[in-house]
Amino acid sequence: MTRISFPKDFVWGTATASYQIEGAYDEDGRGLSIWDTFARTPGKVVNGDTGDVACDSYHRYEEDIALLKQLGVSSYRFSIAWPRIIPQGTGEVNEKGLDYYRRVIDGLIAAGIEPAVTLYHWDLPQALQDKGGWDNRETIDAFLAYAEVVFKAFGDKVKSWITFNETWCVSFLSNFIGVHAPGHTDLQLATNVAHHCLVAHGRTVQLYRSLNLPGQIGTTHNLSWSEPYTTRPEDVEAARRSRAWGNEWFLEPTLKGSYPSFMVDWFRGKGIEVPILEGDMETIGQPIDFIGVNFYTGGCTRYKKDSGLFDSEDVQVGFDQTFIGWNVYPEALYKVLSWLHEEYGDIPIYITENGACTDDHVAEDGGVHDAQRVDYYRKHFIQCQRLIDSGVPLKGYYAWSLLDNFEWAEGYAKRFGIVHTDYETLERTPKDSYYFIQKVISEGGFDV
């Protein structure tokens, strides 16, 4: 039997996002976001679901904080909805929005839980999208004004800040692949959006430093790992391109102040240019205190001419899959974080999301027996411990997600929570995975 143990100061947490859990979409002065618009567009979200009510955490946050306290986490990662703070994206500040997050933050601190706040988790004010959204550099200035309001309101209480969640999703998934809001399918547009979000990140870090606040600031990128199907050079290069689109394209500017040249050349070959202005790369590469990594999956890739953006295709080699169809590949977490450490040095790493979508229900005994999710967490925790023992500065882990919630384009059809949400009654029921994580935290590890 092997004991998997974690350092005493390892940060255990769980995470959510504003639009996915809050509901109350038209209460207390909140403006509309691009997700309010997208979810109301026929055919964009499964079953026509919206986040109008979601988990109703706007009214039930005290219940959710109680669940967090019972779980035993030391930190809770959540996002602030820009449309609650500045409903039109620019201009008047909504004090009722600030009051809501003040209650949440104070409640967490009273429960002995450190708030970790994400400034942007995809709910861009619709009024800004109407002016071009992240394709318009004026949105960068608007974001800075919003961030300053939030920093000044909560910077004395919140010690951990994340500028953006998953810039790849904000840009390419949402503006090239088009399955997330605002739903465009334009590669140049997506490239522009990615760059402008990175510039906004860098400027936000500069702003935070200028305010001399007593905390740390970083950003979160979603990383995955593509293994070449064979050792053939064309497969190796195809896997490298596939990885780099989500990994180096964002990590390289953030941590080194430059884009990967081989990817710039590849995009240029497709007529795509990054809209870099003087000073942009220095701004993007501002030193940060940590890097957040959202990790879910990986796989095998091989060369296939004229297939997709990178002349590559994914190859199924027998991985188990979660209910959403993503490969379960725990070793890929070890590989991608080991690579990150080797490539970018000793920057502290937090796994800011990791979890599994499973098809689970409340059983006759009143429990939710999500054995597949428990197994997923167990296997990924083992990889976390391997990383720590290997000298990778992994400082914490946030399970995704605290609650079953509005799963973006999947609506309510897919569940990632460690707490079951009944969308009719909004009753919360902790699942077996909740109790598994609770035990790991309380015992500092587990046996395998």
Side-chain angles (χ1 to χ4, degrees):
M1 185 174 290
T2 302
R3 181 69 180 173
I4 302 297
S5 299
F6 290 88
K8 284 188 165 51
D9 62 351
F10 192 74
V11 174
W12 288 103
T14 185
T16 60
S18 48
Y19 188 75
Q20 293 183 270
I21 68 165
E22 286 178 1
Y25 82 101
D26 61 351
E27 289 189 42
D28 292 337
R30 178 188 179 276
L32 293 179
S33 78
I34 56 175
W35 270 96
D36 294 296
T37 302
F38 189 76
R40 284 170 167 71
T41 305
K44 296 299 185 182
V45 176
V46 171
N47 297 322
D49 292 338
T50 73
D52 289 3
V53 176
C55 305
D56 195 33
S57 290
Y58 190 78
H59 300 111
R60 297 169 180 260
Y61 67 91
E62 291 176 313
E63 185 178 349
D64 296 338
I65 291 172
L67 284 165
L68 289 162
K69 185 173 182 178
Q70 181 185 345
L71 182 60
V73 293
S74 54
S75 182
Y76 173 53
R77 178 185 173 227
F78 65 97
S79 73
I80 288 178
W82 188 350
R84 284 204 195 279
I85 307 303
I86 304 178
Q88 298 304 308
T90 59
E92 187 175 348
V93 175
N94 178 28
E95 292 297 331
K96 288 186 177 179
L98 289 173
D99 287 344
Y100 166 67
Y101 292 110
R102 189 171 290 111
R103 293 193 297 272
V104 172
I105 289 166
D106 288 347
L108 288 166
I109 293 171
I113 300 166
E114 286 284 339
V117 172
T118 302
L119 289 169
Y120 188 76
H121 202 132
W122 307 354
D123 40 7
L124 180 72
Q126 181 62 44
L128 293 181
Q129 184 62 41
D130 293 342
K131 299 174 184 177
W134 286 110
D135 190 36
N136 182 351
R137 285 185 73 111
E138 291 180 4
T139 299
I140 300 172
D141 297 322
F143 185 75
L144 265 287
Y146 152 67
E148 184 169 8
V149 169
V150 173
F151 285 152
K152 289 181 175 177
F154 308 125
D156 59 333
K157 295 179 179 179
V158 175
K159 302 301 190 294
S160 184
W161 295 91
I162 292 167
T163 55
F164 281 76
N165 179 77
E166 299 185 349
T167 313
W168 183 88
C169 292
V170 177
S171 54
F172 292 109
L173 185 65
S174 303
N175 290 281
F176 170 55
I177 301 172
V179 299
H180 280 188
H184 298 306
T185 53
D186 183 323
L187 182 57
Q188 182 63 65
L189 170 64
T191 305
N192 297 351
V193 168
H195 183 70
H196 294 160
C197 287
L198 288 168
V199 173
H201 153 76
R203 288 187 60 191
T204 304
V205 174
Q206 291 174 324
L207 170 65
Y208 186 77
R209 304 290 187 216
S210 74
L211 295 173
N212 295 312
L213 293 169
Q216 58 178 359
I217 189 166
T219 192
T220 281
H221 295 309
N222 52 305
L223 307 184
S224 63
W225 190 257
S226 293
E227 196 76 23
Y229 183 62
T230 74
T231 58
R232 295 185 307 169
E234 58 266 40
D235 284 354
V236 172
E237 287 303 308
R240 185 188 182 206
R241 290 190 296 272
S242 184
R243 285 197 305 269
W245 191 30
N247 297 358
E248 285 105 310
W249 192 259
F250 296 95
L251 288 172
E252 199 89 357
T254 304
L255 299 176
K256 289 187 176 180
S258 61
Y259 284 101
S261 58
F262 77 98
M263 289 292 286
V264 171
D265 292 342
W266 186 269
F267 276 122
R268 187 168 289 141
K270 296 183 177 298
I272 304 300
E273 294 286 345
V274 185
I276 302 171
L277 299 186
E278 185 176 355
D280 278 0
M281 300 314 298
E282 182 182 359
T283 296
I284 295 170
Q286 292 299 303
I288 53 178
D289 300 309
F290 64 89
I291 190 76
V293 173
N294 292 355
F295 175 87
Y296 290 95
T297 189
C300 279
T301 303
R302 70 183 170 194
Y303 173 79
K304 184 178 182 183
K305 185 173 175 56
D306 298 327
S307 177
L309 188 56
F310 300 111
D311 290 352
S312 65
E313 67 172 357
D314 294 334
V315 185
Q316 183 51 255
V317 294
F319 289 111
D320 290 337
Q321 294 187 326
T322 61
F323 189 54
I324 204 169
W326 298 349
N327 293 335
V328 179
Y329 187 8
E331 293 82 4
L333 175 62
Y334 181 83
K335 291 181 178 184
V336 74
L337 292 192
S338 296
W339 165 82
L340 191 161
H341 179 232
E342 292 167 9
E343 188 71 21
Y344 299 105
D346 286 332
I347 185 167
I349 301 168
Y350 290 86
I351 295 172
T352 40
E353 290 182 23
N354 178 237
C357 173
T358 67
D359 185 20
D360 37 53
H361 310 273
V362 178
E364 289 185 8
D365 63 5
V368 182
H369 307 305
D370 55 340
Q372 186 185 9
R373 184 177 289 109
V374 171
D375 187 59
Y376 182 97
Y377 279 124
R378 181 183 289 109
K379 289 176 178 176
H380 285 77
F381 290 172
I382 291 169
Q383 300 304 321
C384 289
Q385 202 271 341
R386 284 184 70 198
L387 286 159
I388 294 167
D389 275 7
S390 298
V392 175
L394 178 61
K395 302 298 184 182
Y397 177 102
Y398 292 80
W400 183 269
S401 174
L402 174 65
L403 303 167
D404 291 334
N405 55 46
F406 178 81
E407 187 46 46
W408 307 115
E410 298 290 344
Y412 298 104
K414 298 291 189 290
R415 296 176 180 268
F416 278 85
I418 58 173
V419 175
H420 181 276
T421 303
D422 182 317
Y423 294 118
E424 297 295 324
T425 66
L426 298 173
E427 181 180 0
R428 278 89 157 123
T429 304
K431 304 178 185 180
D432 287 356
S433 56
Y434 175 98
Y435 294 113
F436 170 70
I437 294 172
Q438 181 189 60
K439 187 175 182 186
V440 171
I441 295 171
S442 66
E443 296 181 359
F446 59 100
D447 294 323
V448 290

